Amino acid sequence: MSRKRSMIIGTAALAGTAVLSLSLSACGKADMTKQSSPFAAAKGSKSVTLSTQTWVGAQSNVAVAKYLLEKKLGYHVDTVQVDEIPAWDALSQGRVDAILEDWGHPEQEQRYVKDKKTITAGGGNGVTGHIGWYVPKYWADKHPEIKNWKNLNKFADQLKTSESGNKGQLMDGSPSYVTNDKALVKNLKLNYEVVFAGSEAAQITQIQQFAKEKKPFLTYWYEPQWLFNQVPMVEVKLPKYTDACAEKGTKDPESIDCAYPTTPLQKFFNTEFAKKGGSASAFLKNFKWTKDDQNEVSESIASGGLSADEAAKRWVEKHPEVWKKWLPKK
């Protein structure tokens, strides 16, 4: 199971850039033969390309890694936003060097890590991720029975919206996310409609608006996520996650009828980069922080009005005891 939340450069854009580079070489206007990918720097320069996803926690990882690679290790860092599955393809091809937050893609791991060996596991980033269904604490305090999925149908009328029609609304984020929600609603016989906000940012805005008006809501959400600091939410208990349920769901995603797993978030590197990436590779292998660290940077970006670079700089200045351990030994 995975979470797919996705400036975006998808596979079409990547392909388009590749065509552009080939065209320039064919015309003799530019020598692109020194480049291993459209995003790589010329031979001899210190350059790293990081894949970044659209959810702010993943962007926080990349922002801090980028800042330290540039300021402490002298690298030029490019970042490329690609949807989760295409990011694995790009990593295998060497178009990007590293993914710093993966929520679990067993098919891609089998294909690229175990079979082709073009991607190398980089270890955990220190953060444990969890997806679930959440309701606001102010509502759960009044109706504690809402915290069990078996009681959700009793509250469907209270959760109707213009988008959900005569059913309760289960709010999701981007349609590009890989979720089990439609299958869960069907298999658990819930009187709910999955409604997509459109993006993580749109979902956050909607949650904040509901909270401001003290309205009830039911939403797909995840941690780590800085929004919990501003809008306390309580998880709705779904049927217990089991490996058997996950295996069944891998074969037939529409059969899922259990909760999402708790997932230690992982890093993955292009194998060539893992072997020959020098200080950058060593640094990224050492990169490991906590949920609180990530949320601190994420909240600065998403709610504090700072750019990713500014948020990273602020965190780095406050927490040298954390990041100095990531620097490769000289």
Side-chain angles (χ1 to χ4, degrees):
M1 281 187 255
S2 63
R3 171 175 85 166
K4 182 178 180 181
R5 322 191 234 188
S6 306
M7 203 167 14
I8 293 179
I9 299 181
T11 50
L14 287 170
T17 309
V19 169
L20 175 60
S21 65
L22 289 171
S23 297
L24 288 170
S25 297
C27 295
K29 298 296 184 181
D31 180 8
M32 307 296 282
T33 59
K34 301 294 186 182
Q35 296 193 342
S36 60
S37 83
F39 304 106
K43 184 177 180 181
S45 67
K46 295 173 66 174
S47 178
V48 180
T49 302
L50 302 178
S51 172
T52 180
Q53 297 89 346
T54 59
W55 60 93
V56 69
Q59 293 168 0
S60 297
N61 301 326
V62 172
V64 170
K66 176 178 182 291
Y67 183 86
L68 288 168
L69 282 166
E70 292 184 338
K71 302 300 181 183
K72 302 299 179 181
L73 296 176
Y75 282 82
H76 171 77
V77 180
D78 291 312
T79 62
V80 183
Q81 288 191 308
V82 193
D83 281 348
E84 285 183 83
I85 302 301
W88 277 80
D89 301 330
L91 188 63
S92 174
Q93 297 161 8
R95 294 177 181 274
V96 298
D97 295 313
I99 294 172
L100 300 185
E101 181 169 308
D102 184 81
W103 284 65
H105 292 87
E107 291 183 13
Q108 282 67 35
E109 285 190 56
Q110 182 65 47
R111 180 183 306 128
Y112 292 129
V113 178
K114 297 176 182 178
D115 295 341
K116 293 188 175 182
K117 302 187 186 327
T118 52
I119 292 177
T120 297
N125 70 7
V127 178
T128 297
H130 178 66
I131 297 169
W133 292 358
Y134 291 84
V135 295
K137 185 176 183 299
Y138 56 76
W139 193 43
D141 287 345
K142 293 181 180 179
H143 304 283
E145 63 270 32
I146 192 65
K147 293 185 285 185
N148 191 305
W149 72 270
K150 295 178 180 179
N151 299 316
L152 284 174
N153 280 343
K154 299 177 183 178
F155 294 90
D157 285 346
Q158 295 186 43
L159 294 169
K160 289 180 180 178
T161 67
S162 57
E163 289 82 8
S164 66
N166 62 354
K167 298 182 179 182
Q169 174 176 284
L170 169 58
M171 181 167 55
D172 274 34
S174 167
S176 72
Y177 295 177
V178 174
T179 80
N180 303 327
D181 291 354
K182 289 185 177 181
L184 285 168
V185 166
K186 178 183 176 183
N187 296 329
L188 300 180
K189 296 179 172 57
L190 298 176
N191 188 31
Y192 282 79
E193 184 74 24
V194 176
V195 177
F196 294 97
S199 66
E200 182 186 62
Q203 194 175 7
I204 287 172
T205 298
Q206 185 64 76
I207 290 172
Q208 290 173 324
Q209 186 61 38
F210 280 136
K212 182 179 180 181
E213 299 173 6
K214 293 295 180 182
K215 288 184 176 180
F217 62 84
L218 173 66
T219 188
Y220 162 102
W221 205 232
Y222 34 81
E223 56 177 344
Q225 229 297 332
W226 63 270
L227 188 62
F228 284 107
N229 298 339
Q230 297 185 4
V231 182
M233 288 180 269
V234 177
E235 187 172 5
V236 175
K237 185 178 180 181
L238 293 169
K240 185 178 179 180
Y241 170 85
T242 65
D243 290 340
C245 176
E247 289 172 10
K248 178 180 68 171
T250 299
K251 296 176 182 176
D252 179 13
E254 294 185 4
S255 73
I256 286 285
D257 56 4
C258 65
Y260 291 88
T262 296
T263 307
L265 305 183
Q266 301 296 309
K267 300 171 293 185
F268 289 92
F269 305 141
N270 172 271
T271 296
E272 189 74 7
F273 172 75
K275 293 178 178 177
K276 302 179 180 179
S279 296
S281 174
F283 169 82
L284 293 174
K285 288 175 184 175
N286 293 338
F287 180 96
K288 190 173 185 178
W289 60 353
T290 67
K291 177 178 75 173
D292 290 340
D293 289 323
Q294 189 186 90
N295 280 342
E296 183 178 336
V297 179
S298 296
E299 189 166 9
S300 294
I301 296 170
S303 183
L306 298 185
S307 68
D309 285 343
E310 291 169 336
K313 181 176 185 292
R314 176 179 292 186
W315 184 88
V316 165
E317 290 173 347
K318 287 176 61 178
H319 300 284
E321 76 285 356
V322 178
W323 59 261
K324 284 186 176 180
K325 299 175 184 177
W326 306 342
L327 299 177
K329 295 180 180 179
K330 296 180 180 179

